[in-house]
Short mmCIF file of all heavy atoms in Angstrom, two decimals:
data_model
loop_
_atom_site.label_atom_id
_atom_site.label_comp_id
_atom_site.label_asym_id
_atom_site.label_seq_id
_atom_site.Cartn_x
_atom_site.Cartn_y
_atom_site.Cartn_z
N MET A 1018 -3.03 -106.01 97.17
CA MET A 1018 -3.53 -104.67 97.44
C MET A 1018 -3.35 -103.82 96.19
O MET A 1018 -2.40 -103.94 95.46
CB MET A 1018 -2.74 -104.10 98.62
CG MET A 1018 -3.17 -102.72 99.02
SD MET A 1018 -2.23 -102.23 100.50
CE MET A 1018 -2.90 -100.62 100.68
N THR A 1021 -0.86 -98.08 96.14
CA THR A 1021 -0.82 -97.26 97.35
C THR A 1021 -0.07 -96.00 97.01
O THR A 1021 0.97 -96.04 96.37
CB THR A 1021 -0.07 -98.01 98.47
OG1 THR A 1021 -0.79 -99.21 98.75
CG2 THR A 1021 0.01 -97.17 99.72
N LEU A 1027 7.11 -81.19 102.35
CA LEU A 1027 8.27 -80.78 103.14
C LEU A 1027 8.35 -79.26 103.19
O LEU A 1027 8.21 -78.60 102.15
CB LEU A 1027 9.55 -81.32 102.51
CG LEU A 1027 9.55 -82.82 102.24
CD1 LEU A 1027 9.53 -83.10 100.76
CD2 LEU A 1027 10.73 -83.45 102.89
N GLY A 1030 14.31 -76.00 105.74
CA GLY A 1030 15.50 -76.56 105.12
C GLY A 1030 15.61 -76.14 103.67
O GLY A 1030 14.83 -75.35 103.16
N ALA A 1035 15.42 -81.59 101.42
CA ALA A 1035 14.24 -82.25 100.86
C ALA A 1035 14.65 -83.52 100.12
O ALA A 1035 14.00 -84.56 100.25
CB ALA A 1035 13.51 -81.29 99.92
N ALA A 1076 16.07 -103.30 109.62
CA ALA A 1076 16.52 -102.80 110.92
C ALA A 1076 17.65 -101.79 110.89
O ALA A 1076 17.60 -100.81 111.60
CB ALA A 1076 16.86 -103.96 111.83
N ASP A 1121 -11.29 -92.21 107.14
CA ASP A 1121 -11.81 -93.55 106.91
C ASP A 1121 -10.76 -94.47 106.28
O ASP A 1121 -10.61 -95.60 106.69
CB ASP A 1121 -13.03 -93.52 105.99
CG ASP A 1121 -14.27 -92.99 106.69
OD1 ASP A 1121 -14.26 -92.92 107.94
OD2 ASP A 1121 -15.23 -92.62 106.00
#
Side-chain angles (χ1 to χ4, degrees):
M1018 181 176 179
T1021 299
L1027 307 112
D1121 286 345

